[in-house]
Amino acid sequence: MFGHIGAPIQKEYTWGGKLSKDAEEITWNPMDEDDQEDEDFIYNHCLFLKQVVLGDDAKEGERNIVEVETTNWNSKKLTTPICSLKLDLQENCPLDITLLPPCKLRLKSGSGPIYLTGTHAMEIEEDEEYTMNESTDVEEISMSELKGKKRPASAQKNGAKKVSKRKVENGENGTDEDEEEEEEEEEEEEEDTEEDEEEEMEEDAKVEEEDEEEEEEEDEEEEDKEEETKQKKKDKKKETARGGKRSTRKK
């Protein structure tokens, strides 16, 4: 068993590969090897390419191109070059590429040799279905052992109480009771969630009402200001008209 249930174990290994005229392609798919491993565990693999180096016996003036064939985020095939090396010009290239299996590394142009290095990361976790089945088997064995044991005669003489049928049934049907408790907890959580949503809706409605009231008050204030402005203009006109009449009378 690997550690605690649900706690995956991570391991890292150095990875290396060589591309040449005689071996122009590398297929990386450790998932095929997992078929021989323990079926009670799930293996997740990842390849981090770190560097590619041109061999010292490469041909002068020859351009060597390496490409990778993998899949993108929506599981579509993706083929793209990752480096171009040439003797006396660029003989090595650092990489920062993450690949998931299955993938292929290919010498697209040139005869190499080209050496690739990286890190093979592996995560191992227990299969939940296996763990549940195993725990169920352990419970069944424990119950059968309890049923097979007889109470000592001394306990019967001392008037020890017999276990009621209800308790035995509860012991045998512990799984059903656990399921009922889980259902009740889920129902309570749903009720709490609904109450929280209702409270949020009520708060939102209050905020909207307050905003509307503020807007109405602002509109009313603006209308009052407009009316005051109009009234002032009217008063000024009246005063102007009265002043004109008085001047004509004096004349």
Side-chain angles (χ1 to χ4, degrees), residues 81-93:
I82 58 174
C83 70
S84 176
L85 303 177
K86 194 173 183 179
L87 199 65
D88 297 329
L89 183 63
Q90 184 175 358
E91 299 181 0
N92 64 80
C93 179

Side-chain angles (χ1 to χ4, degrees), residues 137-150:
D137 294 339
V138 171
E139 288 179 0
E140 290 178 354
I141 292 170
S142 300
M143 288 303 302
S144 62
E145 289 177 353
L146 288 171
K147 289 178 182 178
K149 290 180 180 180
K150 293 182 179 180

Side-chain angles (χ1 to χ4, degrees), residues 14 23-24 28 34 36 56 61 69 95 100 103 126 135 137 144 151 157 160 174-175 186 188 190 209-210 224 240 249:
T14 301
E24 296 181 341
W28 187 73
D34 290 345
Q36 301 175 0
D56 56 0
E69 181 181 314
L95 298 175
L100 298 176
C103 66
E126 289 190 56
S135 61
D137 294 339
S144 62
R151 299 187 65 181
K157 290 179 181 179
T175 305
E186 289 177 358
E188 289 177 358
E190 290 177 357
E209 288 179 0
E210 291 176 356
D224 293 339
T240 305
R249 287 175 182 175

Side-chain angles (χ1 to χ4, degrees), residues 180-194:
E180 290 178 359
E181 289 179 359
E182 289 178 359
E183 290 177 358
E184 290 177 357
E185 289 177 358
E186 289 177 358
E187 289 177 358
E188 289 177 358
E189 289 178 358
E190 290 177 357
E191 290 176 357
D192 294 338
T193 304
E194 290 177 357

Side-chain angles (χ1 to χ4, degrees), residues 117-157:
T117 56
T119 301
H120 175 189
M122 182 168 61
E123 186 178 74
I124 307 171
E125 56 184 346
E126 289 190 56
D127 190 348
E128 293 181 358
E129 184 177 353
Y130 162 76
T131 305
M132 291 177 65
N133 292 336
E134 188 182 46
S135 61
T136 304
D137 294 339
V138 171
E139 288 179 0
E140 290 178 354
I141 292 170
S142 300
M143 288 303 302
S144 62
E145 289 177 353
L146 288 171
K147 289 178 182 178
K149 290 180 180 180
K150 293 182 179 180
R151 299 187 65 181
S154 59
Q156 294 178 1
K157 290 179 181 179

